[in-house]
Amino acid sequence: MPLFVFIWLILNVRSATSFMHIYPLGALDGAAGKAMCTKNTENSDVSTVIDLQLHTRRKPPSDFLSSLSEDCEKLGVDAFDLYGDFASDAQTSHLRRFESEVANHFGKEDAVFCLSGGMAQCIALAINGRRKSDSQGGKKAKAFACHPTSHLLLHENDNFHELLGMQAIVLNVDKEESSYNPDHLKDYGCYGMSPIRLSHAKDLFAKIDGTELTGTNTSTIYPNSSTPVGSTDLSTFILELPHREIGGKLTPWDEVEEIGRLCKARGVQFHCDGARIFEASAGYGHTSVKQTAQPFSSVYISFYKGLGNGIGGAMLLGNSDFCAEARVWLRRFGGNLYSVLPYSVASWAGWQKNCLQAENGTCTTKVFHQRQKKLARILNILQSDSTISSIVVSDPSTPETNMVHGYLKMSYEECVAALKSAEEHTGIRVLSRLRRCGSTNDNMHYHSEFGCRFEWVMGESNFMIKDDIFITGWKAFAKACKRQNT
């Protein structure tokens, strides 16, 4: 173990225990899964339940930190980064070497490592807004366009507005709502909602060219709906690939490219919320993530979701000038810590493990394509079972990535009871994370036939479970549901 890693462990690690779910040997596919199972069974404190929804297995803290030391050795990391290593190059800094490697595979000039996606995307908005303002003589560009389910709207406490003074032009993709309420989407889910399509971008630009928006049937201004927004205000068009909150749906690729051209013609930056861009690239059938990133002026990627690095980390990619300014904003946001080594090394190791082919060093999304195929195969079998299909609906019905969202036609309490019964009889936990459709103290029903919902991601962990185990678990759950209704 390198001395500097040992020192970091002593200073930062507190003893912790971890409760891990493990799989019986016969439930796993492949030698790697069996080896992992055998190792974990040495711990007498673990459970033998099979968790079908657990897509990423986190190591206990002590094991994670031990593997971090091994990753330092493999990656040749022998010195800490210092305040972002802004003045260093790829020859002298492991952080800049990591950034350069990722940027090269994405076809971008440079990249900046960030601690979180919220910080990375706010930085992109800040840069684009300032540049648009400078290009038009100081008139402030205070708006960006996005899908109603954008992470910035649902999960960041309006950071774009509170920190940057910006407004969101929320595209009304289904033209059903007269106003925008993010809490409604968080409470009830987004069943049947469309991804951003080319028609939505065309409608927006047609409305905004030469006039001001105050909220129409094609878009809503958020959070201040009465504030007018004009074409000179729009600096950024954000497209999430895939759209996570609507089950991993994808905007058709030819439309992505055309939206990029529309943005370029109007001086609007086309930004990709690529937290799951590896999954999207596989869903499109692209040969490389470079192809997926090509239409965008900037891209944000995450290292702790599909790449499962264990503790977090993100990267913002773009041209050299953009990234140089991003490093300034990183400091302004307090993101250039004294050292980010645990985050950057874990992210780099996860990137290389999941995306780089060892034999030639090329970037591939093969593992994500395999996960999508497995999910589609299992889902097809479940949907052909009349009992299962009578209680759960998948959105989308056919996975476009390695993710879908499921909606259950039972109350939350009924589902919990049925899940418990199925687990007791089979040792299979079908769903470990379930959410109500609606709050507990109201009587509104967006889609009244659904009582609760869940997200199903096929990841590194549940990918190893044999298909027939999924089928057995879901059939037991459906049977328990039926017993409650008889």
Side-chain angles (χ1 to χ4, degrees):
M1 178 185 298
L3 178 60
F4 71 94
V5 175
F6 178 77
I7 294 173
W8 189 89
L9 297 180
I10 295 298
L11 293 176
N12 291 277
V13 180
R14 295 180 179 179
S15 60
T17 59
S18 175
F19 183 87
M20 296 181 64
H21 302 295
I22 67 168
Y23 305 141
L25 205 58
L28 299 176
D29 276 329
K34 294 179 181 180
M36 182 186 70
C37 179
T38 303
K39 177 181 178 181
N40 287 340
T41 54
E42 296 172 0
N43 184 348
S44 60
D45 294 328
V46 297
S47 166
T48 55
V49 69
I50 304 172
D51 191 334
L52 303 183
Q53 200 180 12
L54 183 67
H55 56 80
T56 302
R57 185 178 305 280
R58 296 189 71 180
K59 298 177 181 178
S62 58
D63 288 354
F64 167 76
L65 292 167
S66 294
S67 66
L68 187 67
S69 175
E70 296 172 1
D71 291 334
C72 285
E73 297 281 4
K74 293 175 183 177
L75 296 168
V77 178
D78 57 6
F80 281 102
D81 57 288
L82 184 63
Y83 291 122
D85 280 353
F86 291 170
S88 302
D89 57 28
Q91 283 68 46
T92 58
S93 164
H94 83 270
L95 184 59
R96 300 307 295 273
R97 191 159 65 250
F98 175 33
E99 293 169 339
S100 178
E101 179 178 297
V102 175
N104 178 62
H105 283 290
F106 273 83
K108 301 302 181 185
E109 293 179 0
D110 199 359
V112 180
F113 186 81
C114 302
L115 291 175
S116 72
M119 184 180 294
Q121 300 212 93
C122 262
I123 288 173
L125 289 176
I127 294 170
N128 294 340
R130 186 198 60 76
R131 289 184 174 184
K132 182 71 176 282
S133 298
D134 289 349
S135 71
Q136 50 197 25
K139 178 175 173 52
K140 188 176 181 180
K142 57 188 177 183
F144 65 96
C146 64
H147 192 271
T149 65
S150 170
H151 198 279
L152 287 166
L153 303 182
L154 299 189
H155 304 296
E156 298 289 351
N157 293 327
D158 297 342
N159 57 358
F160 62 90
H161 182 70
E162 299 296 334
L163 298 177
L164 304 176
M166 298 189 76
Q167 300 274 48
I169 303 175
V170 186
L171 302 178
N172 193 351
V173 294
D174 293 321
K175 299 182 175 62
E176 293 180 354
E177 304 294 332
S178 57
S179 61
Y180 178 70
N181 182 354
D183 290 332
H184 185 78
L185 297 178
K186 288 189 285 186
D187 286 344
Y188 291 92
C190 311
Y191 176 74
M193 186 175 284
S194 304
I196 287 179
R197 299 296 302 268
L198 175 60
S199 59
H200 304 137
K202 286 183 174 180
D203 286 347
L204 170 65
F205 287 126
K207 293 288 185 181
I208 207 170
D209 284 348
T211 186
E212 288 186 332
L213 289 177
T214 56
T216 69
N217 67 333
T218 59
S219 59
T220 302
I221 311 303
Y222 177 83
N224 295 333
S225 59
S226 61
T227 303
V229 173
S231 58
T232 57
D233 296 308
L234 180 60
S235 66
T236 310
F237 191 111
I238 297 179
L239 179 62
E240 183 182 6
L241 294 180
H243 293 71
R244 183 267 180 98
E245 297 288 345
I246 56 174
K249 294 174 185 174
L250 292 167
T251 301
W253 185 246
D254 60 333
E255 297 186 16
V256 175
E257 294 180 308
E258 183 58 29
I259 293 172
R261 286 189 282 268
L262 289 175
C263 288
K264 187 174 183 179
R266 287 166 173 77
V268 174
Q269 301 303 308
F270 194 27
H271 172 75
C272 179
D273 177 345
R276 296 166 179 82
I277 195 171
F278 306 100
E279 293 88 332
S281 189
Y284 283 126
H286 288 169
T287 57
S288 70
V289 289
K290 181 183 294 187
Q291 182 180 357
T292 315
Q294 192 279 326
F296 299 96
S297 52
S298 59
V299 179
Y300 142 64
I301 64 175
S302 173
F303 293 106
Y304 79 89
K305 297 180 175 69
L307 301 187
N309 77 351
I311 57 172
M315 202 168 277
L316 186 60
L317 302 92
N319 63 34
S320 298
D321 290 342
F322 175 88
C323 289
E325 189 167 350
R327 290 186 172 92
V328 176
W329 278 101
L330 188 68
R331 185 182 294 274
R332 289 170 176 162
F333 275 107
N336 65 320
L337 303 187
Y338 183 64
S339 175
V340 295
L341 183 142
Y343 300 93
S344 60
V345 170
S347 296
W348 198 0
W351 150 263
Q352 291 208 347
K353 174 185 175 182
N354 289 281
C355 298
L356 295 191
Q357 293 181 336
E359 61 271 17
N360 55 20
T362 60
C363 183
T364 176
T365 57
K366 180 180 178 181
V367 295
F368 300 99
H369 181 62
Q370 292 172 336
R371 294 170 188 175
Q372 178 187 352
K373 287 178 61 178
K374 183 180 180 76
L375 177 60
R377 184 172 65 243
I378 294 171
L379 192 59
N380 183 57
I381 296 173
L382 297 181
Q383 289 172 335
S384 66
D385 185 294
S386 59
T387 304
I388 296 173
S389 61
S390 69
I391 62 169
V392 63
V393 176
S394 172
D395 187 31
S397 57
T398 300
E400 298 179 24
T401 58
N402 63 323
M403 168 199 295
V404 292
H405 282 190
Y407 291 80
L408 290 151
K409 301 177 182 179
M410 302 176 65
S411 71
Y412 177 85
E413 291 74 18
E414 289 172 328
C415 283
V416 169
L419 288 168
K420 181 179 179 182
S421 175
E423 183 176 329
E424 289 174 348
H425 283 84
T426 64
I428 301 171
R429 182 170 298 159
V430 177
L431 296 171
S432 52
R433 296 179 301 280
L434 194 65
R435 297 187 65 184
R436 299 177 187 273
C437 284
S439 60
T440 57
N441 58 359
D442 69 22
N443 295 314
M444 286 182 60
H445 293 284
Y446 183 49
H447 289 281
S448 59
E449 71 269 33
F450 303 132
C452 47
R453 55 198 168 93
F454 61 92
E455 180 175 86
W456 187 3
V457 177
M458 190 63 67
E460 180 181 20
S461 183
N462 52 1
F463 178 79
M464 295 186 299
I465 303 173
K466 290 181 178 179
D467 291 10
D468 60 350
I469 301 296
F470 282 92
I471 309 306
T472 298
W474 271 96
K475 284 186 174 182
F477 170 56
K479 186 177 180 179
C481 289
K482 288 298 182 183
R483 281 199 302 268
Q484 294 189 73
N485 294 326
T486 57

